[in-house]
């Protein structure tokens, strides 16, 4: 059984922002592709990658947006990578070591993202590929993002004005003349084995600001998002809790399997789909109680409970205590 390709909501936000700014019906298009709204509040949650790509392509086609992936990528900066990713890069003593870590932990951003380095003459290629998506159309929207973030990472060492000599796309896609004019010193290639940018070998030794060892959560035993369907569901469900959780049939369709096969997979792990939903609700509520000052009733609604009393009973069943007591005990004194 395949997993569900997922990506952080942060990477969908610039597409929806552009769509909003031209006065297009963003909410209804998100609903059409069964994507959550209120994405700004869910930047670090996950959504189905292919539905996000379909949203982008539909918006580009219906609204006549030229090079939508490029337009969205211009709004993304280094700060939009996850905190773990930024910390890992910040603690790397050289650009080469930072890129090695980026390749190792790429699945922290997209669970099917594979990244690697290739030596070619006097430069290094930073390559990326979405595993299991061969033959799927319109992935150039995602591939712009796959290439723009390595550019931002190199800039942390080489300076904010650095640009690659080559940007290559796996998709058979050619940027518009307007887009290419914004990169006058860069050549574009399409139909490659993978998407990639090239970086001069001479930059690999550039030092960063690292003065400490990597954070504990990036140790060798850390668990990246990976390709397991149960892990993918645990990451994806929180973004839907306040808007209607996908049905088993919808989730199975995202994974390219049947509802019965999905339920068998869960049963082998000793779980039901309801168990996963309950766990996602509890984990989201616990996080909000620990890290925010939101009222308990707001935490209940954000976690997918229409009845605050039901939320309190469910939370007590999962944790052995009430939400208020949990918050008091979790906060430092």
């Amino acid at each position: 059984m395949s997993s569900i390709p997922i990506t952080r909501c942060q990477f969908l936000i610039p597409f929806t922002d552009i769509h909003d700014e031209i006065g297009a019906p963003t909410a209804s298009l998100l609903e059409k592709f069964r994507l959550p709204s209120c994405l700004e509040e869910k930047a670090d949650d996950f959504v189905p990658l292919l539905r996000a790509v379909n949203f982008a392509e539909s918006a580009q086609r219906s609204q006549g947006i030229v090079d939508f992936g490029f337009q969205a990528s211009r709004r993304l900066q280094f700060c939009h990578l996850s905190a773990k990713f930024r910390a890992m890069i910040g603690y790397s003593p050289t650009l080469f070591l930072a890129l090695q870590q980026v390749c190792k932990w790429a699945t922290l951003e997209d669970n099917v993202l594979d990244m690697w380095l290739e030596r070619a003459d006097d430069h290094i290629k930073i390559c990326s590929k979405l595993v299991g998506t061969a033959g799927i159309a319109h992935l150039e929207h995602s591939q712009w993002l796959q290439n723009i973030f390595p550019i931002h990472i190199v800039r942390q060492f080489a300076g904010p004005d650095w640009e690659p000599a080559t940007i290559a796309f796996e998709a058979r896609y050619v940027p518009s003349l307007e887009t290419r004019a914004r990169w006058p010193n860069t050549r574009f290639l399409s139909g490659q084995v993978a998407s990639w940018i090239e970086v001069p070998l001479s930059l690999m030794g550039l030092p960063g600001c690292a003065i400490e060892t990597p954070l504990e959560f990036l140790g060798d035993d850390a668990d990246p998002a990976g390709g397991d369907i149960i892990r993918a569901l645990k990451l994806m469900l929180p973004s839907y809790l306040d808007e209607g959780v996908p049905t088993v049939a919808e989730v199975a369709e995202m994974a390219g399997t049947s509802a019965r096969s999905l339920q068998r997979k869960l049963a082998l792990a000793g779980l039901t789909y309801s168990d996963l939903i309950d766990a996602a609700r509890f984990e989201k509520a616990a996080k909000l109680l620990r890290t925010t000052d939101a009222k308990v009733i707001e935490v209940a609604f954000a976690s997918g409970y229409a009845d605050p009393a039901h939320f309190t009973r469910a939370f007590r069943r999962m944790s052995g205590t009430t939400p208020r007591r949990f918050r008091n005990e979790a906060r430092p004194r």
Side-chain angles (χ1 to χ4, degrees):
M1 178 187 297
S2 301
S3 183
I4 302 170
I6 54 175
T7 187
R8 286 176 58 231
C9 290
Q10 177 63 71
F11 304 145
L12 180 57
I13 289 173
F15 291 95
T16 59
D17 284 348
I18 294 170
H19 201 248
D20 273 337
E21 288 166 11
I22 62 176
T26 304
S28 61
L29 193 60
L30 287 169
E31 182 179 359
K32 175 182 177 181
F33 290 104
R34 197 63 173 90
L35 291 164
S37 58
C38 304
L39 292 170
E40 293 286 351
E41 302 169 6
K42 305 171 182 177
D44 287 323
D45 289 337
F46 287 77
V47 292
L49 171 65
L50 299 183
R51 294 195 175 196
V53 169
N54 290 338
F55 169 92
E57 177 58 24
S58 179
Q60 175 172 268
R61 187 173 59 253
S62 63
Q63 303 300 323
I65 305 171
V66 177
D67 278 344
F68 202 7
F70 167 67
Q71 299 295 341
S73 72
R74 294 181 64 200
R75 298 180 177 225
L76 290 167
Q77 301 295 326
F78 180 76
C79 63
H80 293 129
L81 288 166
S82 65
K84 290 182 180 182
F85 229 62
R86 297 197 310 272
M88 170 187 62
I89 294 162
Y91 282 97
S92 296
T94 66
L95 173 58
F96 181 64
L97 290 175
L99 293 176
Q100 285 185 316
Q101 290 298 307
V102 164
C103 292
K104 180 178 179 180
W105 300 107
T107 51
L108 288 171
E109 304 295 311
D110 288 9
N111 73 329
V112 294
L113 179 61
D114 185 20
M115 295 187 69
W116 67 96
L117 305 178
E118 289 184 3
R119 172 78 179 267
D121 298 326
D122 60 350
H123 61 270
I124 293 282
K125 292 181 180 179
I126 309 175
C127 307
S128 63
K129 194 178 187 73
L130 296 173
V131 177
T133 60
I136 294 174
H138 311 305
L139 286 178
E140 66 271 12
H141 301 301
S142 177
Q143 288 164 16
W144 262 113
L145 275 56
Q146 289 168 228
N147 282 329
I148 205 69
F149 279 115
I151 292 172
H152 286 309
I153 290 166
V154 174
R155 286 174 175 173
Q156 300 304 302
F157 296 80
D161 298 324
W162 180 84
E163 294 183 356
T166 303
I167 297 178
F169 296 88
E170 183 183 354
R172 294 193 175 281
Y173 152 80
V174 178
S176 67
L177 289 173
E178 180 181 357
T179 296
R180 281 180 280 166
R182 294 180 179 273
W183 299 81
N185 301 314
T186 299
R187 67 169 179 160
F188 289 90
L189 300 177
S190 68
Q192 302 292 295
V193 173
S195 298
W196 51 271
I197 65 168
E198 66 178 25
V199 184
L201 194 61
S202 59
L203 300 185
M204 290 297 108
L206 287 176
C209 301
I211 56 175
E212 302 179 41
T213 56
L215 300 182
E216 290 183 3
F217 56 54
L218 290 170
D220 289 338
D221 60 345
D223 180 21
D228 180 76
I229 192 169
I230 295 175
R231 172 67 170 156
L233 280 171
K234 288 179 178 178
L235 290 168
M236 186 187 78
L237 287 174
S239 64
Y240 287 95
L241 292 177
D242 60 342
E243 301 182 28
V245 176
T247 65
V248 171
E250 287 177 313
V251 169
E253 185 271 329
M254 293 176 198
T257 188
S258 68
R260 182 173 296 180
S261 294
L262 173 59
Q263 289 169 326
R264 279 200 298 266
K265 172 77 171 179
L266 294 174
L268 287 173
L271 295 168
T272 66
Y273 189 51
S274 294
D275 292 335
L276 286 180
I277 294 172
D278 288 344
R281 284 174 171 161
F282 172 74
E283 290 171 10
K284 183 163 187 175
K287 180 179 179 181
L288 291 172
L289 291 168
R290 283 195 307 267
T291 61
T292 76
D293 294 320
K295 296 178 180 179
V296 171
I297 190 173
E298 295 171 339
V299 172
F301 293 152
S303 303
Y305 292 93
D307 180 357
H310 183 199
F311 164 63
T312 298
R313 288 194 298 271
F315 194 90
R316 185 195 291 272
R317 185 177 69 252
M318 297 283 285
S319 68
T321 189
T322 66
R324 285 188 175 84
R325 183 173 296 174
F326 177 89
R327 168 175 274 168
N328 291 335
E329 294 175 351
R331 296 289 181 89
R333 299 182 183 278

